[in-house]
Amino acid sequence: MISAVNAEWVIEEYRGKDLGLTYTKEESLFKVWAPAASAVSLVLYESGGVPGESAEETGDAKLTLMSRQGSGLWEVRVAGDLAGLFYMFRAVYEDGTVKECPDPYAFAVSANGLRSAIVDLRETDPEGWETDESPRLAHPVDAVLYELHVRDFSIHESLGAAHRGQYLAFTEGELRDEAGNRLGVDHLAELGITHVHLMPVFDYQTVDELDQGGPRYNWGYDPQHYNAPEGSYSTDPADPRARIREFKKMVQALHARGIGVVMDVVYNHTYAVDTGPFEGLAPGYFYRRDPAGRLTNGSGVGNELATERPMVRKYIKDSLRYWLTEYHIDGFRFDLMGVIDTVTMREIAEELRIEFRPDLLFYGEPWTGGDSPLMNKTLKGAQKGKGYAVFNDNYRSAIKGDNDGWGRGYATGEWGREGAVAAGIKGAIHDFADSPRETVNYVSAHDNLNLWDKILTVQGLRGHCRFPDLADGRLVGGGDAEEAIAKADPYAVLEEGELLQDETVRRSLLASALVLTSQGIPFLQAGDELLRSKFGDHNSYRSSDSINAIRWGNKARFRQVFDYYRGLIALRKQHPAFRLRGRQEVERALHFTRCDGGVVSYLLKDHAGGDSWRNIAVLFNANPWPVTAWLPPSEEGWQVVADHTGAGTETLRKVEGPEITVEGLSLMILYDLCEEPRPRSRTIEIHYEREDGDYRGWNLWVWGTGIQDGQCDFTRLKDGRAVALLEVQPETASVGYLLRLNDWEAKDGSADCYIDCSGEEDWIRVRIRGAGGMQPDSSLGLTS
């Protein structure tokens, strides 16, 4: 029995940033944190290993003793170029137990992750990688997220990709159907999304990378090696370099089209404990346990990582840093973020934005999968002012109803949800958020019924569409699932000649239109714009490709639906009124005119967010019948840019009088005057200087901005100072602030301070000297 965690070695934290392998052609340095071990050896192999076969059986193991360096660290240097070899760490404990483990920090692995691999990462860089540039966001609400599974994207023959189900499918441009419609990666660019959110692409456990004939599908929420890409998406899983190089090519291809890449990360649990990446080297430390020593189950799948412990928190941050540095990732979505403690999430958002880029995206699921003993869970509301967002399940349920059943929402036929819909439209600022940047708005994701299937379920049309009764990808009661799927027709209800008149289509568009026009960050599931169906399978995590694959033939078939989505996205991206950045800005500009009887309507007033349109009227009608609405007087008349016939940035028709009819199950968007865009804000650039140079946890608490009061983070370091950018309303004359550590753990200075904004400068620079309670210096308020 291995000695478990105890106070004597828990405090042996290692603060360096070089755990794992540091490779050069001249030598390789190996470092591992194994504080409870009495001896640790590096084991070098010539092969990547065979499942169930020991090192003694292969006969290719070479052991080198590692030396203990303090802080629980073991290290060894090995001369020569080791590229092409594989390695493990072998830990020996006082009771005689021996554990051989892969490197938790391994950035390359053999097929199925059996052993850590030694590669020269520079040899994995594709041509032009050094000049690869990520698209940049001015603000998180400018993002349009698109959740996508690598295999789903290209596995169906209708795409015509050469690399079906693989990373390299994203590099295949100019794919078109017979009608000339753009498919694949060019479809994504045409749609207008800003970021692809990739479901797990780290090395996961449940797909045999070498068995081409076996089950090849899983969503990937079963982590094995957090810092190496999944091999089943590569052309050669047995070559540790292939998956790395091809992953980079995928990122490069998306960036070339102006699309950022968000990684879905699962730092809440591992697939296994005893054979996982941590337990053999730090027994009892990386996982939460109850007082009896049993694993707790906040993830719902048997274990949960103890993120609140320093070396676990360090591991997560180091892992994220690695993906940002090596793969040019643009953001992260955190699975079951409720199981991650609030301090870890705050430090991730704060530190990585300062170290890398201020426009990195961070968001996640603010719930758990089971009961957890963690006290400071990252649930809805915990994100307030902390620089990351959470999924708004309140809004999701208000729009569509429950996830998998007959329960209705606003877009699926139930009155009484208008108030909850209005709360979502305002970016949840009167619900659980401080600003719109903290809410991710969605109705459909990989979990549960997707949007089309949910609407069919509510309408009682599953039988009409011959949906099979599936569980875990198999027919309930037995039988041939593939045959049953082939007989199903998710579109049996459609009158395709009148596509935009169809009730199911209209309800689908109504739901997604709410997401794409609301304040906050919109999130779409891949294929919603093609009326994607999964044949009623609400949990397709290991179902077949016939259920999960995106059928690209639907683009020509449902082109009108795609164009509607594309138009709404273009409208959002072109008009900042739909992307307001702060609570005060929303409260000043967005006013509801009706919120009852199946109708939700509002105005975005007075060039909201600096928009070129003076006033914008947005009306949603969830009734199956037309309703009459009234518009404010306008001498110029109102221009319709979206209704039941289409959506976009161009005028569809003009409305002269105050009375207007909104067709059933539709929306209408109008504007009354187009002028030169107004300045949305002025910017104050604040440089904070501390004598100790330690800016960890420090932030500004501001008021009077007219846009977003509350916490304002420093997002970069320059010349030894922390720099923050603060947006203020153009007419703001003075802004108040205090300097604080985290959530008022300490203050730098005791009195309220103010920045003079009474001049006409659009960009105001100030410098504040602090530390030890010092007051701001005389340069405060000077502009340049």
Side-chain angles (χ1 to χ4, degrees):
M1 181 71 178
I2 304 175
S3 301
V5 59
N6 60 68
E8 182 179 346
W9 61 269
V10 167
I11 61 173
E12 290 190 299
E13 302 169 30
Y14 178 65
R15 299 185 182 276
K17 294 185 178 181
D18 57 353
L19 285 171
L21 166 63
T22 302
Y23 165 87
T24 68
K25 292 185 181 298
E26 292 71 36
E27 68 172 14
S28 291
L29 172 63
F30 300 85
K31 292 187 176 183
V32 63
W33 189 71
S38 56
V40 180
S41 298
L42 170 72
V43 190
L44 289 175
Y45 294 96
E46 294 181 2
S47 70
V50 177
E53 192 172 82
S54 68
E56 289 72 19
E57 290 171 318
T58 59
D60 66 347
K62 178 183 178 181
L63 273 68
T64 304
L65 285 173
M66 303 179 75
S67 60
R68 185 159 193 157
Q69 301 297 311
S71 299
L73 181 73
W74 300 79
E75 71 171 49
V76 67
R77 293 179 185 272
V78 180
D81 189 350
L82 304 184
L85 298 180
F86 301 85
Y87 71 101
M88 301 280 275
F89 294 123
R90 185 173 295 180
V92 181
Y93 294 90
E94 290 183 359
D95 63 358
T97 301
V98 178
K99 287 284 185 178
E100 186 166 301
C101 313
D103 182 358
Y105 277 77
F107 51 76
V109 295
S110 64
N112 290 318
L114 295 178
R115 290 174 179 164
S116 307
I118 304 172
V119 302
D120 184 345
L121 284 171
R122 299 291 65 80
E123 293 181 356
T124 69
D125 293 343
E127 183 179 354
W129 184 243
E130 66 280 357
T131 59
D132 173 68
E133 290 189 10
S134 296
R136 298 303 172 108
L137 283 179
H139 195 275
V141 297
D142 295 340
V144 180
L145 305 172
Y146 186 89
E147 183 193 46
L148 183 58
H149 186 277
V150 169
R151 188 173 176 90
D152 293 355
F153 175 66
S154 60
I155 196 64
H156 199 270
E157 60 186 12
S158 58
L159 180 60
H163 298 93
R164 292 172 58 190
Q166 297 174 342
Y167 298 125
L168 290 181
F170 288 87
T171 69
E172 298 184 46
E174 300 303 322
L175 297 176
R176 294 177 182 258
D177 61 19
E178 292 181 356
N181 293 297
R182 295 181 181 92
L183 306 180
V185 70
D186 293 332
H187 165 91
L188 303 181
E190 184 184 16
L191 182 59
I193 53 130
T194 66
H195 289 74
V196 163
H197 159 147
L198 293 175
M199 291 170 65
V201 284
F202 50 73
D203 183 60
Y204 58 82
Q205 183 74 43
T206 47
V207 168
D208 186 343
E209 297 172 352
L210 297 175
D211 184 5
Q212 295 294 328
R216 300 282 290 171
Y217 196 88
N218 203 284
W219 283 342
Y221 293 95
D222 48 345
Q224 180 172 223
H225 296 289
Y226 282 105
N227 295 338
E230 165 62 17
S232 64
Y233 304 141
S234 74
T235 59
D236 186 0
D239 180 357
R241 298 168 299 177
R243 63 182 74 189
I244 300 173
R245 183 182 301 112
E246 292 166 10
F247 190 110
K248 290 177 179 178
K249 286 184 176 181
M250 172 184 64
V251 173
Q252 189 179 43
L254 288 165
H255 283 175
R257 289 164 174 80
I259 299 173
V261 179
V262 172
M263 269 187 68
D264 199 331
V265 289
V266 188
Y267 296 113
N268 59 76
H269 78 284
T270 58
Y271 176 76
V273 174
D274 292 339
T275 59
F278 306 120
E279 188 70 6
L281 295 169
Y285 184 78
F286 270 77
Y287 298 92
R288 294 190 188 112
R289 297 178 183 266
D290 64 18
R294 295 169 298 197
L295 291 166
T296 56
N297 191 23
S299 67
V301 290
N303 67 80
E304 55 181 306
L305 292 185
T307 61
E308 68 279 11
R309 293 178 181 164
M311 290 300 291
V312 185
R313 181 178 294 156
K314 171 182 168 54
Y315 179 86
I316 294 171
K317 292 191 287 188
D318 286 349
S319 177
L320 295 170
R321 287 185 179 100
Y322 177 72
W323 287 104
L324 289 167
T325 302
E326 190 63 34
Y327 291 95
H328 305 177
I329 296 299
D330 304 292
F332 300 95
R333 177 265 195 192
F334 294 83
D335 183 66
L336 293 183
M337 192 166 61
V339 187
I340 302 175
D341 67 286
T342 56
V343 174
T344 296
M345 285 307 308
R346 184 194 71 214
E347 291 185 2
I348 285 169
E350 173 189 293
E351 294 176 16
L352 297 186
R353 284 203 177 100
I354 288 177
E355 291 178 36
F356 292 91
R357 292 162 42 194
D359 67 334
L360 291 175
L361 290 173
F362 300 105
Y363 59 96
E365 296 178 306
W367 48 76
T368 67
D371 293 333
S372 172
L374 178 66
M375 296 300 294
N376 55 336
K377 299 178 182 70
T378 304
L379 306 176
K380 286 198 298 291
Q383 85 295 331
K384 286 186 177 181
K386 299 301 180 290
Y388 58 91
V390 298
F391 283 97
N392 190 345
D393 56 330
N394 297 353
Y395 197 20
R396 175 201 69 195
S397 298
I399 294 173
K400 73 173 184 180
D402 62 23
N403 283 321
D404 299 324
W406 299 78
R408 298 174 183 268
Y410 176 77
T412 52
E414 182 173 330
W415 281 14
R417 298 295 187 97
E418 294 87 352
V421 167
I425 287 171
K426 297 192 77 167
I429 60 170
H430 296 151
D431 188 357
F432 60 83
D434 264 350
S435 75
R437 68 179 294 168
E438 295 175 358
T439 175
V440 174
N441 300 323
Y442 74 113
V443 288
S444 181
H446 67 274
D447 280 323
N448 309 114
L449 288 175
N450 61 346
L451 181 57
W452 184 255
D453 291 350
K454 166 62 182 176
I455 298 172
L456 290 176
T457 299
V458 168
Q459 293 175 312
L461 295 172
R462 291 172 65 101
H464 184 75
C465 295
R466 300 186 296 280
F467 277 177
D469 189 6
L470 296 165
D472 293 335
R474 298 176 177 85
L475 282 178
V476 175
D480 189 332
E482 296 300 308
E483 181 179 340
I485 293 164
K487 292 179 179 178
D489 181 5
Y491 312 109
V493 298
L494 287 179
E495 294 285 344
E496 295 191 29
E498 301 290 337
L499 194 61
L500 296 187
Q501 302 302 313
D502 180 82
E503 177 185 348
T504 312
V505 172
R506 282 202 175 188
R507 291 191 185 279
S508 173
L509 292 177
L510 184 65
S512 292
L514 281 162
V515 168
L516 287 168
T517 57
S518 293
Q519 305 302 323
I521 304 171
F523 172 103
L524 303 172
Q525 184 187 11
D528 279 350
E529 77 282 8
L530 305 176
L531 303 184
R532 181 185 183 185
S533 173
K534 292 187 183 181
F535 303 91
D537 190 345
H538 73 280
N539 190 23
S540 65
Y541 76 104
R542 61 177 182 180
S543 298
S544 66
D545 292 325
S546 62
I547 290 174
N548 285 295
I550 293 175
R551 286 163 164 77
W552 290 97
N554 284 346
K555 184 163 186 182
R557 188 178 182 185
F558 305 136
R559 178 73 201 209
Q560 288 175 287
V561 174
F562 169 81
D563 285 339
Y564 206 101
Y565 274 82
R566 183 180 61 165
L568 287 173
I569 292 172
L571 180 67
R572 180 181 183 86
K573 291 170 71 174
Q574 186 170 313
H575 288 280
F578 297 103
R579 299 177 281 112
L580 301 179
R581 297 178 177 179
R583 180 191 187 102
Q584 286 72 34
E585 191 174 37
V586 173
E587 290 177 332
R588 183 173 62 253
L590 197 158
H591 296 272
F592 286 95
T593 54
R594 184 176 173 185
C595 195
D596 60 32
V599 177
V600 178
S601 60
Y602 61 93
L603 290 175
L604 292 161
K605 300 176 62 178
D606 302 325
H607 299 280
D611 206 292
S612 59
W613 291 347
R614 183 176 64 185
N615 295 305
I616 303 172
V618 184
L619 306 95
F620 292 96
N621 177 20
N623 297 292
W625 53 82
V627 297
T628 299
W630 284 265
L631 299 170
S634 173
E635 295 180 2
E636 298 80 11
W638 288 85
Q639 314 288 325
V640 178
V641 294
D643 64 8
H644 61 288
T645 66
T649 58
E650 301 299 321
T651 298
L652 299 176
R653 67 182 189 277
K654 188 174 181 179
V655 176
E656 296 291 351
E659 186 176 295
I660 191 167
T661 298
V662 183
E663 294 296 321
L665 301 175
S666 74
L667 77 152
M668 185 173 288
I669 300 175
L670 317 89
Y671 71 90
D672 72 341
L673 181 65
C674 185
E675 301 175 326
E676 286 297 318
R678 302 287 181 88
R680 76 172 302 156
S681 63
R682 292 192 292 163
T683 302
I684 303 175
E685 182 180 315
I686 301 173
H687 292 243
Y688 175 40
E689 183 178 357
R690 292 180 58 86
E691 290 182 353
D692 59 12
D694 186 358
Y695 299 101
R696 290 174 298 178
W698 286 96
N699 60 77
L700 293 155
W701 185 265
V702 300
W703 61 91
T705 65
I707 293 180
Q708 180 61 42
D709 294 349
Q711 181 170 320
C712 176
D713 291 330
F714 296 100
T715 57
R716 63 188 174 102
L717 297 176
K718 182 179 180 180
D719 300 328
R721 305 186 188 102
V723 181
L725 297 180
L726 179 62
E727 281 192 302
V728 299
Q729 195 178 0
E731 57 267 31
T732 299
S734 177
V735 172
Y737 76 91
L738 284 170
L739 286 158
R740 65 175 193 164
L741 181 64
N742 296 321
D743 289 322
W744 305 108
E745 293 173 21
K747 291 194 298 183
D748 193 348
S750 57
D752 292 354
C753 301
Y754 293 87
I755 298 173
D756 181 8
C757 309
S758 59
E760 297 182 357
E761 298 85 355
D762 290 331
W763 198 282
I764 304 167
R765 292 184 177 89
V766 299
R767 185 173 70 174
I768 304 169
R769 288 180 182 159
M774 296 172 61
Q775 293 296 311
D777 71 0
S778 59
S779 68
L780 179 64
L782 295 181
T783 62
S784 60

